Amino acid sequence: MKTYHYGLRFWLAVCLTGLLGGLAGIAMHELLNLVEMLVFGHSDDDYLSLVRSLSAGSRFAGIFIISIIAAAVWYWLQKAPYQIISVRQSLKHPKRLHSFLRQVIHSLLQIVFVGAGGPIGKEGAPRELGALFAGRIAVGFKLKSKDAYLLIASGAAAGLAAVYQVPLSSFFFAFEVLAVALSLRNLLVVLVTTYLATWVSNPIVTSNPNYHLRAMTTHLGFWTSLGLLLLLAILTALLAGIFKRLNGLAGKWRRKDKTIWLSLPLTGALVGATALIFPTVLGNGSALAQSAFNGLSLRTALVLFALKAGLVLLSLVSGAYGGTLTPSFALGSLLGLMVCQVVSGLIPVQGPELFMLAGAASFLAITMKAPLTASGLVIGFTHSQPVLLIPILFTVTLTKFFESRLFYRN
């Protein structure tokens, strides 16, 4: 009888985690729209059109003012003896409760910062909120530690699934990134939470493609395409590997003391000043990726690649919190575009879209350490044909291989 009661409590907790993960996705989506309305005067699901329509004053003032506010709030949130708890930290002690209010404010602030033009990803907030809710549910339902771990990881995956409408990729995320053990029971739990969260949030969070691609028009021969993908894999392994390691250092060096009062507003001012000339650096990378898919010159793509990567890392060092999912997607897309443009000087290349998708997936696979998740996200974001997974996974596999060799440590 005790086993029956525990099983009932467990599955009720699983369903509740999926439900709250979906509601977290809705909350993040609506907050992002609200921030855009307040800061820029209007909101638009097409962030590229939004940032291009802004006046010079709005591009600069929005991120600068929010950076000042964010510096004050993040300083307060981390003032001793308090600290911000990541999903990975909560998984180390799955039944330990942390300050609920501070963690919620932290998650909301990430969305506010990105919505105002902060150059980092927004995916950290729904993951952390989903994990936070799941941790409270696990304790409330008196689950075992191993089941609390599973629920927190599932909650994080559910939040990601809800905000991007990518349940299958989020399913892979729980196993690849959060190290959930493979078992039939765990597979079922993660499936229930991610798909339930997606279903709950779907009426509010659009399931339309995040990025719009032109029709695939690549007419290269097999060996030429193979050679381009090989070249792309080598370059991505090098640049994404460097970016991943610099991102790790940025997290270690992040300003948490009083210096954040100066560092984060200065970074916000720099982002705003850069946006006066290059508005697509604003936001989480969606505007930049879409502009790349629309077509950019080699020189512009190279400049934007360097600016976006630098501003993401500088924001994190300066004290901001957020993810690197969509920035990595944008950087990989730019890299795929640049490879095609360089090679087009030697051989005719029509349609770089496939190589941009492969570059985006490969860059993501390195920064997330999750090849299946990254490949699925690229297909989910663009609603591309599943058959493209063949060249994408081929490039991702090569990239992972080269990255392991380039950055091998004894």
Side-chain angles (χ1 to χ4, degrees), residues 42-81:
H42 67 287
S43 179
D44 195 332
D45 287 334
D46 182 0
Y47 200 73
L48 176 59
S49 299
L50 176 63
V51 298
R52 283 180 171 172
S53 68
L54 299 176
S55 65
S58 296
R59 294 177 192 176
F60 180 85
I63 182 59
F64 178 60
I65 294 172
I66 290 298
S67 294
I68 296 173
I69 297 171
V73 178
W74 267 316
Y75 172 73
W76 170 73
L77 288 174
Q78 298 170 99
K79 196 171 183 179

Side-chain angles (χ1 to χ4, degrees), residues 83-370:
Q83 61 176 321
I84 291 170
I85 305 299
S86 67
V87 174
R88 291 182 183 276
Q89 288 173 318
S90 64
L91 287 172
K92 291 179 181 178
H93 305 283
K95 300 190 74 173
R96 180 182 298 176
L97 296 180
H98 304 281
S99 174
F100 184 82
L101 179 61
R102 286 175 181 265
Q103 290 297 125
V104 169
I105 293 173
H106 166 63
S107 297
L108 299 179
L109 184 57
Q110 292 179 60
I111 298 297
V112 171
F113 184 72
V114 172
I120 48 182
K122 67 178 182 179
E123 77 280 356
R127 289 199 315 241
E128 291 168 3
L129 208 54
L132 179 66
F133 291 153
R136 284 298 198 280
I137 293 169
V139 172
F141 280 72
K142 299 180 180 178
L143 300 184
K144 301 172 184 176
S145 292
K146 67 173 184 177
D147 288 335
Y149 182 106
L150 173 61
L151 208 64
I152 291 171
S154 299
L160 179 65
V163 80
Y164 284 123
Q165 295 292 292
V166 284
L168 185 58
S169 300
S170 303
F171 168 81
F172 290 133
F173 174 83
F175 294 94
E176 284 189 307
V177 179
L178 302 181
V180 172
L182 277 174
S183 71
L184 182 60
R185 180 173 179 263
N186 291 356
L187 289 169
L188 184 58
V189 169
V190 179
L191 275 175
V192 169
T193 51
T194 52
Y195 277 87
L196 179 58
T198 305
W199 178 77
V200 168
S201 59
N202 181 259
I204 305 297
V205 182
T206 177
S207 58
N208 295 327
N210 296 79
Y211 305 99
H212 300 279
L213 279 65
R214 293 172 293 189
M216 298 283 182
T217 56
T218 303
H219 297 299
L220 299 178
F222 174 78
W223 292 110
T224 303
S225 296
L226 202 65
L228 269 179
L229 292 175
L230 176 62
L231 175 61
L232 178 60
I234 295 171
L235 289 174
T236 305
L238 175 62
L239 295 176
I242 293 172
F243 182 79
K244 180 180 74 172
R245 282 153 181 81
L246 290 176
N247 181 49
L249 292 175
K252 293 179 180 179
W253 296 341
R254 180 182 282 117
R255 301 292 90 201
K256 300 178 182 180
D257 56 13
K258 290 182 179 180
T259 57
I260 193 176
W261 286 85
L262 180 62
S263 62
L264 193 54
L266 283 178
T267 298
L270 180 59
V271 172
T274 305
L276 297 178
I277 305 173
F278 302 103
T280 54
V281 300
L282 290 173
N284 65 352
S286 59
L288 182 55
Q290 187 59 63
S291 67
F293 287 123
N294 292 347
L296 295 171
S297 68
L298 176 59
R299 179 181 297 179
T300 302
L302 183 59
V303 170
L304 287 173
F305 182 95
L307 286 174
K308 187 64 178 181
L311 291 174
V312 168
L313 296 171
L314 185 58
S315 297
L316 295 173
V317 170
S318 299
Y321 283 83
T324 58
L325 193 159
T326 33
S328 294
F329 181 96
L331 293 173
S333 301
L334 285 170
L335 195 54
L337 176 63
M338 288 188 287
V339 167
C340 287
Q341 289 175 331
V342 169
V343 174
S344 65
L346 305 173
I347 57 175
V349 178
Q350 296 182 358
E353 287 79 14
L354 169 61
F355 304 101
M356 294 172 70
L357 293 178
S362 299
F363 210 101
L364 264 177
I366 299 301
T367 56
M368 294 184 70
K369 302 179 184 178

